[in-house]
């Protein structure tokens, strides 16, 4: 598979499971229990952000080398502007639905709190990305990272990739000690007023940036041919996949215990201090590094490994992420992500306003929503898929 096809397939995979995990039915549904999240502290958002950074580095480092800083920066910042406008559209959609259908406020109260057109101060906070409704919180952090991306890519072109990784690691470490807390606490108090709701940000930008930045640096170095991944991930050197598998297996019982409330209380308190998802704690960092390196080894070195089982597993993984549907979603991942938020909110509203769904109906709705994910991607590729418009045919 081509390198970009591989990335697109993985992004499509993460988008599908984001949708599955985000669909909220009264009483839950069984499909949400069947995914990788149940086996490790590795979630779709991490993969999505990392691959987005990787792709930004790969695409725009080459453009910056060929056309200069301004050409690449304009492209990246234009994309950030598009994402910001799409975020505003999402916010406007949700707030308008609340005005038109008062029941939507009850359905989404846990996700939106008091965000409403009739609350201008809160709406302004949301427009400034300081008050982020649930599932609309990946886009703001991605926008911020995109604003910084051109400077980071230029530094990579000048050979300062190691310094960027060191700085990113230190910023992540600072977030683990909550050095930003005095500033965010003051901002939260000012925004909250008498409502009790102030700053609402699910992802700590200082912590989660490490996922995007590492991907961006690796992508830029790949574009400049400064990394030969076939020499990093070799079939005759298995220490890396063995270490990755060992880390994942070590955390497997912890994942099972925390998911089903089996963890002893005297262990749980200590473990949770390292397992903060919003802060991308050490548990998530280790699991993601292990899973990412293990998957990369399987895809790059696995096909040439002497073991027939390893080769078969590698072929199965490659076959999964080469599915045309997943690659289609991945090619338009950010637009599909925006559309997935609309789907999730609408399904929640319908679920609240109708009699309880049976498990088979919930499953059918989930699969229907997965199919609907492709709509923005199909629209964006309509000319390639359905041919050019004939003469005299009005444009879509």
């Amino acid at each position: 598979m081509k390198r970009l096809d591989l990335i697109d397939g993985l992004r499509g995979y993460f988008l599908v499971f984001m949708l599955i995990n985000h669909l909220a039915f009264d009483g839950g549904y069984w499909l949400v229990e069947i995914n990788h999240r149940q086996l490790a502290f590795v979630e779709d958002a991490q993969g999505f952000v990392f691959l987005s950074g990787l792709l930004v580095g790969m695409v725009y480092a080459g453009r910056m080398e060929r056309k200069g800083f301004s050409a690449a920066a304009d492209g990246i910042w234009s994309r950030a502007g598009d994402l910001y406008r799409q975020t505003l559209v999402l916010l406007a959609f949700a707030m308008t639905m609340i005005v038109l259908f008062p029941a939507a406020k009850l359905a989404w109260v846990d996700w939106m709190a008091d965000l409403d057109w009739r609350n201008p101060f809160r709406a302004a906070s949301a427009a400034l990305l300081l008050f982020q409704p649930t599932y609309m919180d990946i886009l703001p952090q991605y926008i911020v990272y995109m604003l910084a991306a051109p400077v980071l890519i230029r530094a990579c072109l000048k050979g300062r990739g190691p310094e960027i990784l060191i700085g990113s690691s230190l910023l992540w470490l600072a977030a683990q000690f909550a050095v930003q807390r005095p500033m965010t606490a003051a901002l939260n108090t000012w925004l909250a007023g008498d409502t009790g709701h102030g700053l609402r940000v699910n992802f700590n930008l200082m912590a989660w940036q490490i996922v995007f930045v590492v991907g961006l640096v690796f992508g830029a170095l790949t574009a400049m041919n400064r990394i030969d991944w076939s020499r990093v991930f070799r079939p005759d050197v298995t220490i890396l996949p063995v270490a990755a598998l060992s880390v994942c297996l070590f955390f497997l019982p912890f994942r099972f215990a925390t998911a089903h409330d089996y963890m002893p209380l005297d262990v749980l308190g200590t473990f949770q201090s390292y397992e903060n998802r919003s802060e991308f704690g050490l548990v998530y960092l280790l699991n993601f590094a292990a899973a990412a390196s293990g998957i990369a080894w399987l895809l790059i070195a696995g096909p040439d490994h002497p073991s027939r089982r390893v080769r078969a597993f590698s072929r199965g993984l490659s076959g999964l992420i080469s599915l045309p549907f997943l690659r289609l979603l991945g090619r338009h991942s950010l637009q599909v992500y925006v559309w997935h938020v609309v789907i999730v909110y609408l399904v929640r509203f319908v679920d609240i306003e109708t009699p309880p769904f049976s498990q088979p109906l919930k499953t059918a709705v989930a699969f229907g929503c997965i199919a609907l994910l492709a709509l923005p991607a199909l629209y964006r590729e309509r000319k390639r898929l359905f041919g050019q418009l004939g003469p005299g045919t009005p444009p879509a």
Side-chain angles (χ1 to χ4, degrees):
M1 250 191 353
K2 294 180 180 178
R3 185 180 293 158
L4 293 181
D5 287 341
L6 184 150
I7 294 173
D8 287 338
L10 282 170
R11 291 204 295 180
Y13 172 87
F14 289 131
L15 283 164
V16 168
F17 278 94
M18 273 188 192
L19 177 67
I20 291 173
N21 292 329
H22 292 168
L23 288 174
F25 295 102
D26 187 26
Y29 72 122
W30 68 273
L31 193 60
V32 76
E33 301 298 330
I34 305 178
N35 64 64
H36 54 270
R37 189 183 66 171
Q38 304 300 321
L39 302 176
F41 293 92
V42 179
E43 300 180 354
D44 309 295
Q46 303 157 23
F48 188 76
V49 173
F50 173 79
L51 291 172
S52 296
L54 184 69
L55 196 60
V56 167
M58 289 175 61
V59 172
Y60 288 100
R63 183 177 300 182
M64 193 175 291
E65 271 193 314
R66 296 189 305 271
K67 300 182 179 180
F69 177 83
S70 296
D74 289 347
I76 295 173
W77 289 335
S78 174
R79 192 163 176 80
D82 288 341
L83 288 175
Y84 179 65
R85 286 187 286 273
Q86 291 177 47
T87 301
L88 294 181
V89 169
L90 276 179
L91 292 169
F93 155 76
M95 291 190 291
T96 302
M97 283 287 292
I98 286 176
V99 172
L100 297 177
F101 305 97
K105 188 173 185 68
L106 176 62
W108 302 337
V109 65
D110 292 337
W111 297 351
M112 296 183 60
D114 61 345
L115 180 59
D116 193 322
W117 284 122
R118 292 160 292 197
N119 188 340
F121 184 77
R122 184 65 65 236
S125 296
L128 292 173
L129 308 182
L130 299 175
F131 191 90
Q132 301 169 8
T134 302
Y135 307 134
M136 300 185 199
D137 39 21
I138 283 186
L139 294 176
Q141 66 160 327
Y142 190 71
I143 290 168
V144 172
Y145 301 155
M146 290 286 278
L147 293 176
V151 176
L152 298 177
I153 291 173
R154 181 167 59 184
C156 286
L157 293 176
K158 293 181 178 180
R160 294 177 181 168
E163 289 94 326
I164 294 174
L165 294 177
I166 291 171
S168 176
S169 300
L170 291 175
L171 199 58
W172 172 84
L173 190 60
Q176 305 312 301
F177 292 105
V179 298
Q180 79 286 352
R181 196 67 58 78
M183 182 181 68
T184 56
L187 183 59
N188 179 69
T189 300
W190 177 69
L191 290 173
D194 298 327
T195 67
H197 298 287
L199 186 67
R200 181 183 170 117
V201 179
N202 189 41
F203 297 99
N204 184 330
L205 292 177
M206 287 177 58
W208 276 76
Q209 54 75 32
I210 195 170
V211 184
F212 183 89
V213 170
V214 169
L216 181 143
V217 171
F218 286 167
L221 294 178
T222 301
M224 294 183 289
N225 295 315
R226 296 184 185 176
I227 295 182
D228 183 353
W229 292 110
S230 63
R231 298 185 65 181
V232 176
F233 301 108
R234 294 166 46 187
D236 59 327
V237 179
T238 57
I239 183 62
L240 184 60
V242 169
L245 181 60
S246 299
V247 170
C248 292
L249 290 177
F250 174 81
F251 282 103
L252 178 59
F254 289 95
R255 185 69 189 97
F256 181 82
T258 54
H260 298 89
D261 296 324
Y262 293 151
M263 184 82 80
L265 290 178
D266 51 347
V267 177
L268 182 62
T270 301
F271 183 77
Q272 284 183 328
S273 64
Y274 298 99
E275 188 242 345
N276 191 321
R277 179 178 181 270
S278 296
E279 309 292 335
F280 199 64
L282 182 62
V283 170
Y284 283 96
L285 179 65
L286 291 175
N287 275 262
F288 179 73
S293 58
I295 290 172
W297 185 90
L298 275 172
L299 291 172
I300 296 171
D304 298 319
H305 193 268
S307 170
R308 185 173 60 184
R309 291 181 179 178
V310 172
R311 293 198 304 271
F313 197 82
S314 176
R315 284 196 302 271
L317 180 60
S318 296
L320 172 64
I321 62 177
S322 65
L323 291 173
F325 179 76
L326 297 183
R327 286 160 50 195
L328 173 67
L329 298 182
R331 286 195 294 272
H332 309 279
S333 59
L334 294 170
Q335 291 78 16
V336 172
Y337 182 86
V338 171
W339 174 234
H340 121 280
V341 175
V342 175
I343 293 174
V344 168
Y345 270 66
L346 290 178
V347 168
R348 179 59 177 167
F349 173 64
V350 171
D351 183 67
I352 289 291
E353 287 299 292
T354 57
F357 291 176
S358 65
Q359 284 295 337
L361 182 55
K362 292 175 183 178
T363 304
V365 170
F367 278 112
C369 290
I370 292 172
L372 289 174
L373 268 184
L375 288 181
L378 290 172
Y379 177 77
R380 289 170 62 84
E381 294 197 11
R382 62 194 183 281
K383 290 185 178 180
R384 185 180 71 83
L385 293 171
F386 305 112
Q388 295 290 336
L389 295 172
T393 305

